[in-house]
Amino acid sequence: MMTRLLMILWLSAVWVLLWGDLSPGNALAGVLLASILVLLFPPGTERHAGVHPVAVIRFGLWFAKALVISNLSVAREVMRPKIKLEQGIVAVPLRACSPLVAAFVANAITLTPGTLTVDVRPQAFGKIGTEPPAGHLQVRNGVAVPPVLYVHCLKVGDPEQVRADGLALEKYVVNAFGSPEDRQAILQPPPIWPPLENPSGREGSPA
Amino acid sequence: MILVTNLGFVLLSLGALFTLARLVQGPSLADRVVATDLLLTLLVMGIAVLSARTGESTYLIVMVIVAMVGFFGTAMVARFIERRGA
Amino acid sequence: MSISTVISAALILVGCALGLLGGVGLYRFPDVLGRMHAATKPPTLGLVLVAVAAILRVDQLAGATLLVLVILLQFLTAPVGAHMVARASYESGDQLDEATVIDDLSQAEPPEQFP
């Protein structure tokens, strides 16, 4: 229900911004149209994201600073007479399981210093018979599978540093937008990469 | 202000020229779609600079539409590349 | 010359320089994924700066709200577009640069195919 109300609010705000006209008739038309649209196409069932305003502001400030720094560093790379890059794709395993957090972190990684998210895949625990269903970052019967982000970097200094940066970014995002399960999940120690063949607690016959 | 916007237009045109070179030369379809997206972004920037120069807002709706069309086109071609390969 | 005119002039110059940087980077980088770095981040920030400059100069409120909308749209769609094209080019087998140091994605499980 909350998601629908927020969606109606957002759509009416976009309508009013597009018309540039804050009269009551226009706003009412926007709300009406947004309600009809949300009734026809209800948004998917998302986990309830807990928004903390102070953390959102902190995330926004850090993000603005990272954006400026990233553009300066890309500018320096472009302006060199002979381009010298060490590109690479690094796997960054996350800890929080919800798709919302993964989407935010992937977008933030794409907009920050020299990194670009290429792919997001569920974490494969070695070769075990039961794999999570396709497209789901989280399995319903109690076993949550955190995603792994594959991040392309212009200058890979040290892959562990890239993973640490990714986990720090995830902490910012979860503090700002995460659900209670996510906030619990990021208290775990950083995941090891590459993953072990058969971590404790999961039975299964290796294929 | 007129001088500054003229300079801005010159910079944007130079950027568009380089992008055009990549559009012609790019060995793969992904290069070309990125170049097209960048051309549309430069167009949106040009419209914004024009609005800043004259102060009138008649062309800004074009800007919104071009930005949206740019994104949708890029997304659709990306899905096409993923399925058919290029 | 009021202060807002000076600020908007500076913002226009920086924004257009970032757009030029995006074009030059797209031309010079050796690799598809690297070009995507150069072609999405600087022009996005340049567009935001130029739009802020135009907000300071436009005289109707309708224009200012359209510019705010464009800024929001650009922030929401540019990284998503870049990511989609990067993933598509990797999956369809575009050759990465020879100087690539590390490639974890080649050892990952193949993705699920959506209908």
Side-chain angles (χ1 to χ4, degrees):
Chain A
M1 190 59 194
M2 193 65 175
T3 319
R4 293 189 185 198
L5 285 179
L6 283 177
M7 188 71 82
I8 291 178
L9 194 65
W10 163 248
L11 285 176
S12 353
V14 170
W15 175 268
V16 167
L17 278 180
L18 271 178
W19 279 103
D21 183 18
L22 198 52
S23 65
N26 200 25
L28 194 61
V31 170
L32 207 62
L33 205 59
S35 314
I36 293 177
L37 278 175
V38 168
L39 278 175
L40 285 179
F41 306 105
T45 54
E46 272 290 324
R47 309 180 101 185
H48 179 62
V51 178
H52 286 197
V54 173
V56 170
I57 294 180
R58 204 157 11 133
F59 173 60
L61 286 179
W62 172 87
F63 184 72
K65 179 174 79 102
L67 198 63
V68 172
I69 295 180
S70 85
N71 285 303
L72 288 179
S73 80
V74 170
R76 206 176 40 225
E77 291 304 321
V78 168
M79 285 305 168
R80 262 186 233 262
K82 177 130 179 65
I83 296 186
K84 190 167 42 101
L85 300 171
E86 307 175 350
Q87 308 181 37
I89 301 184
V90 179
V92 177
L94 297 183
R95 288 171 294 201
C97 305
S98 65
L100 179 71
V101 169
F104 257 114
V105 173
N107 275 354
I109 282 181
T110 307
L111 282 172
T112 55
T115 49
L116 178 75
T117 312
V118 176
D119 208 347
V120 178
R121 297 203 183 148
Q123 187 154 26
F125 294 104
K127 303 257 182 226
I128 298 185
T130 58
E131 294 288 342
H136 290 262
L137 290 175
Q138 167 204 346
V139 180
R140 288 276 173 193
N141 56 359
V143 178
V145 181
V148 180
L149 260 55
Y150 289 91
V151 174
H152 174 264
C153 313
L154 278 182
K155 277 185 145 0
V156 179
D158 176 20
E160 294 302 323
Q161 183 64 34
V162 175
R163 287 183 200 128
D165 289 340
L167 288 175
L169 176 54
E170 184 201 13
K171 192 161 82 80
Y172 270 112
V173 172
V174 168
N175 279 339
F177 298 107
S179 64
E181 291 89 353
D182 297 331
R183 290 170 204 269
Q184 197 62 36
I186 61 168
L187 296 176
Q188 296 170 10
I192 33 180
W193 187 264
L196 304 172
E197 270 298 317
N198 200 350
S200 61
R202 281 202 67 167
E203 296 295 327
S205 53
Chain B
M1 197 66 195
I2 305 289
L3 181 65
V4 167
T5 48
N6 282 343
L7 196 57
F9 282 137
V10 166
L11 290 177
L12 288 178
S13 311
L14 280 178
L17 219 63
F18 278 106
T19 312
L20 203 62
R22 175 57 65 196
L23 183 66
V24 165
Q25 180 187 45
S28 69
L29 186 53
D31 288 317
R32 296 198 167 100
V33 72
V34 169
T36 310
D37 190 32
L38 184 58
L39 276 178
L40 288 175
T41 307
L42 289 174
L43 177 65
V44 171
M45 275 198 256
I47 296 179
V49 170
L50 180 66
S51 292
R53 177 187 173 115
T54 58
E56 58 187 33
S57 60
T58 33
Y59 301 112
L60 291 180
I61 191 71
V62 177
M63 185 175 171
V64 176
I65 295 175
V66 167
M68 284 199 292
V69 163
F71 167 62
F72 284 139
T74 308
M76 286 304 123
V77 178
R79 287 186 63 158
F80 171 76
I81 295 176
E82 195 168 347
R83 289 188 198 193
R84 293 281 300 273
Chain C
M1 288 282 259
S2 64
I3 186 72
S4 75
T5 310
V6 171
I7 291 181
S8 68
L11 284 177
I12 286 179
L13 277 180
V14 175
C16 294
L18 284 173
L20 174 64
L21 203 69
V24 171
L26 182 65
Y27 182 67
R28 290 193 74 201
F29 276 16
D31 185 18
V32 180
L33 288 182
R35 285 173 201 146
M36 219 142 348
H37 278 266
T40 52
K41 284 180 262 214
T44 303
L45 185 63
L47 179 61
V48 168
L49 291 179
V50 169
V52 170
I55 288 179
L56 291 174
R57 292 272 300 170
V58 156
D59 48 4
Q60 291 182 16
L61 185 62
T65 55
L66 279 175
L67 285 162
V68 168
L69 196 64
V70 163
I71 292 178
L72 277 176
L73 278 179
Q74 194 66 22
F75 260 129
L76 288 178
T77 62
V80 172
H83 163 251
M84 285 183 77
V85 178
R87 189 166 87 143
S89 87
Y90 191 88
E91 296 298 331
S92 75
D94 282 342
Q95 294 299 321
L96 293 184
D97 190 25
E98 300 86 38
T100 305
V101 168
I102 172 177
D103 191 6
D104 279 338
L105 195 50
S106 57
Q107 278 109 33
E109 307 275 321
E112 307 289 338
Q113 294 295 330
F114 292 100

